[in-house]
Amino acid sequence: MEISKAMDALRDRATFVKESLHKSQTITDSMVSILGSFDHRLSALETAMRPTQIKTHSIRSAHDNIDKTLKAAEGILNHFDQTRLAEAKILRGPHEDLESYLGAVDQLRANVRFFSSKKSFKSSEAIVTHANTLLAKAITKLEEEFKHLLTNYSKPVEPDRLFECLPNSLRPSNSGKGEGGGKNHSGKQSSEAVTFALPTLIPPRVIPLLHDLAQQMVQAGHQQQLFRIYRDTRATVLEQSLRKLGVERLSKDDVQKMQWEVLEAKIGNWIHYMRIAVKLLIVGEKKICDQIFDGVDSLKSQCFAEVTAGSVAMLLSFGEAVAKSKRSPEKLFVLLDMYEIMRELQPEIERLFESKTCTEMREAAINLSKRLAQTAQETFVDFEEAVEKDATKTTVMDGTVHPLTSYVINYVKFLYDYQSTLKLLFHEFDPNDPDGQLAIITTRIMQALQTNLDGKSKQYKDPALTQLFLMNNIHYIVRSVRRSEAKDMLGDDWVQIHRRIVQQHANQYKRISWAKILQCLTVPASENTNAVTRTMIKDRFKTFNDQIEELHQRQSQWTVPDSELRESLRLAVAEVLLPAYRSFLKRFGPVIENGKNPYKYMVYSPEHLEQMLGEFFESKIWGEPKR
């Protein structure tokens, strides 16, 4: 029963759902019919509106075209206005406002590019032609302005301004404007920090204007005109600065005709000028050239090379003339000075003239250094030969140190002030052992001197004076070497060998001078006092007196200039003579004293002899009062 009720209820519910679905479908069909009718109406409306839409689109397109045309016309008119403004500025010239003038030139170029791209515009060709004509006039005016500015602000630098740019150690002394201070011959600068302040060649405010003008001329294809203006102006000014300083172009013949004192002064000045020229003027030229031609590397290096070429040639010509002139010993040191400055400046020269356009100047400077080194080395050989073959007839009558000896020793000592320079010089030819080469040269010069002194010693007729002369000169050489840096090169063995040579000559002097006198005071031991006759004793005393007087007369006029050597030689004689005389006097004096006129024979007491020995080698003239 309950199941039947449930089935009836379920059936009723299904019937209700079915009816509801039917109603929903009916409503849906009605909505579809309505919507279909609405779509048909919209389609008809769209068909009716289409002509109006087409007309509206055409109007909008026409409006857009008109707007674009107006904007294009406005741009063209704007370029026309800019062209007129630029033309007005260009016609006025650059003197009033150079910066505005350069802007006008840039604007005119932009306008030329603009109208050149508007081939469809009928007036483009005429406008471009007119603008290019204006540009040509403008570049001509810019070229004139560049030349005017460069010429107006390029003035030779006065020497005093250059000297103020030098470090204190290199500034000229009050005694002469061409002489640099702080010089030493070791090739090293003073311990003071070396600072060079570049001179103002062109005012800094003008440099940017010249740079902008140069850029405009390059853009216009006027590089060659720009190059000529810059080269002619700056090259002339640089040479004028050097001439004001004192630089002059001299040939080998000019140098050869000069007195040595004049040439030496000019060489000293040239060394000073080289440093100023490279460190101040040429470095300054490089700086302004780099600034003005910044961005135009090829023109930059070419202009710098051409501006400095004449001045560098003028500077180096004097060095070449000296290096090629006739060699002489006194020129060695100035050659070394010149070589020093070239080596000092070499890094700067290589940096300044590193480009291909500067190759000739760079190589010329390097070749001058090599030429100076070669001439200096050849002068060494000449000096050695000159010392050995010196044939001067000067004879030192008192046996003292010969002028040649003092000259050579001073020469060698001075040579050692250039040790670092000489090592560089020797390294040019043989990099293996520069110290050894200097020692070899010194040894050869010393040997050449000794050979010459041996020859000069033979001019003396008195063999004792020959030995004294050699003793004095060799001693002077040894003493000088021991007190100089040459000792480190020659070595202790050389010094000891030559000290023994001095002693040998001293011994030879004593033997030759005093052997006969000492023989007078010698009586054979086999003979006793009684066997010796009074006459023999008198003859011995008389011979002794005559010989000692004659020796004193001559040798008190001889000279031993070194006080220690002089006292040593006197003492060596006294140590032999005085004991022998005292012994002879003690042994045979009584024989004479007991006879007639004893003081006729016993003239000298030991004290008197000692006093006389103290007057030897003093270059005293016989006849002066005895002390």
Side-chain angles (χ1 to χ4, degrees), residues 300-313:
K300 183 195 309 182
S301 59
Q302 185 185 13
C303 281
F304 175 70
E306 292 288 335
V307 163
T308 54
S311 293
V312 170

Side-chain angles (χ1 to χ4, degrees), residues 260-331:
W260 167 241
E261 292 77 11
V262 175
L263 178 58
E264 187 178 26
K266 284 189 177 294
I267 290 172
N269 289 340
W270 178 84
I271 290 167
H272 197 42
Y273 300 156
M274 279 297 299
R275 187 179 284 113
I276 290 174
V278 173
K279 295 279 190 180
L280 300 181
L281 290 172
I282 296 178
V283 169
E285 287 294 340
K286 183 75 163 64
K287 181 180 178 182
I288 63 171
C289 194
D290 287 349
Q291 290 174 330
I292 292 172
F293 297 105
D294 183 34
V296 193
D297 291 343
S298 59
L299 197 59
K300 183 195 309 182
S301 59
Q302 185 185 13
C303 281
F304 175 70
E306 292 288 335
V307 163
T308 54
S311 293
V312 170
M314 182 166 65
L315 283 162
L316 298 184
S317 67
F318 178 76
E320 288 287 348
V322 174
K324 293 177 181 178
S325 62
K326 185 178 179 181
R327 299 189 300 271
S328 61
E330 66 270 15
K331 281 185 183 176

Side-chain angles (χ1 to χ4, degrees), residues 43 177 191 267 319 331 365 478 600:
S43 177
K177 73 174 183 179
S191 58
I267 290 172
K331 281 185 183 176
V478 173
K600 178 181 177 181

Side-chain angles (χ1 to χ4, degrees), residues 185-238:
H185 295 293
S186 64
K188 299 176 182 177
Q189 294 293 343
S190 167
S191 58
E192 174 193 357
V194 178
T195 304
F196 294 83
L198 291 182
T200 301
L201 303 183
I202 294 177
R205 63 183 175 81
V206 181
I207 297 290
L209 299 177
L210 291 170
H211 170 264
D212 292 344
L213 287 167
Q215 292 290 328
Q216 292 287 357
M217 292 174 68
V218 169
Q219 288 182 45
H222 286 222
Q223 290 96 328
Q224 287 308 307
Q225 294 92 319
L226 176 63
F227 165 71
R228 283 195 296 272
I229 293 169
Y230 191 85
R231 177 198 62 193
D232 295 346
T233 304
R234 290 305 308 169
T236 301
V237 169
L238 178 57

Side-chain angles (χ1 to χ4, degrees), residues 324-489:
K324 293 177 181 178
S325 62
K326 185 178 179 181
R327 299 189 300 271
S328 61
E330 66 270 15
K331 281 185 183 176
L332 176 61
F333 300 108
V334 294
L335 286 168
L336 293 176
D337 288 336
M338 294 171 77
Y339 178 73
E340 269 185 14
I341 191 63
M342 292 306 298
R343 287 302 299 249
E344 176 191 326
L345 298 175
Q346 187 168 323
E348 196 83 66
I349 288 171
E350 290 181 352
R351 182 185 67 81
L352 288 168
F353 302 114
E354 62 183 352
S355 68
K356 288 184 179 179
T357 53
C358 297
T359 300
E360 187 175 343
M361 285 175 284
R362 185 175 66 251
E363 290 182 350
I366 293 171
N367 289 338
L368 176 57
S369 293
K370 291 180 178 179
R371 179 64 178 165
L372 289 167
Q374 181 183 353
T375 305
Q377 190 177 53
E378 291 169 354
T379 305
F380 274 123
V381 177
D382 292 347
F383 181 69
E384 180 188 338
E385 292 177 357
V387 169
E388 185 170 356
K389 297 177 181 178
D390 177 73
T392 54
K393 300 300 182 181
T394 303
T395 302
V396 286
M397 302 306 296
D398 58 357
T400 189
V401 176
H402 196 277
L404 177 67
T405 303
S406 57
Y407 172 73
V408 172
I409 292 301
N410 287 334
Y411 196 93
V412 171
K413 286 165 66 177
F414 203 37
L415 202 60
Y416 275 81
D417 287 341
Y418 287 86
Q419 275 196 71
S420 60
T421 303
L422 288 168
K423 289 175 184 177
L424 288 173
L425 187 147
F426 292 139
H427 192 272
E428 296 255 8
F429 303 99
D430 185 358
N432 294 325
D433 186 15
D435 283 345
Q437 292 179 65
L438 182 56
I440 289 170
I441 285 177
T442 307
T443 302
R444 290 207 312 243
I445 290 174
M446 293 298 188
Q447 185 56 53
L449 175 59
Q450 288 177 249
T451 300
N452 189 280
L453 290 173
D454 285 339
K456 284 180 167 46
S457 70
K458 295 178 171 58
Q459 297 174 357
Y460 297 105
K461 294 179 180 179
D462 189 328
L465 186 55
T466 294
Q467 297 302 319
L468 194 78
F469 170 80
L470 291 172
M471 178 196 73
N472 279 331
N473 281 270
I474 303 301
H475 179 267
Y476 180 84
I477 294 170
V478 173
R479 185 190 64 177
S480 299
V481 167
R482 289 179 65 195
R483 295 178 179 178
S484 75
E485 295 179 74
K487 179 178 180 294
D488 296 331
M489 289 293 175

Side-chain angles (χ1 to χ4, degrees), residues 544-590:
F544 175 83
N545 295 337
D546 290 343
Q547 288 186 0
I548 196 72
E549 183 177 343
E550 191 270 336
L551 274 179
H552 179 261
Q553 184 176 5
R554 278 190 295 114
Q555 296 196 21
S556 62
Q557 297 178 59
W558 295 357
T559 301
V560 178
D562 184 81
S563 58
E564 291 184 10
L565 182 61
R566 183 170 62 246
E567 289 305 317
S568 173
L569 195 59
R570 287 172 179 169
L571 182 60
V573 173
E575 285 176 347
V576 176
L577 177 65
L578 295 180
Y581 185 71
R582 286 192 181 99
S583 175
F584 186 82
L585 198 60
K586 181 179 180 180
R587 184 179 177 187
F588 297 108

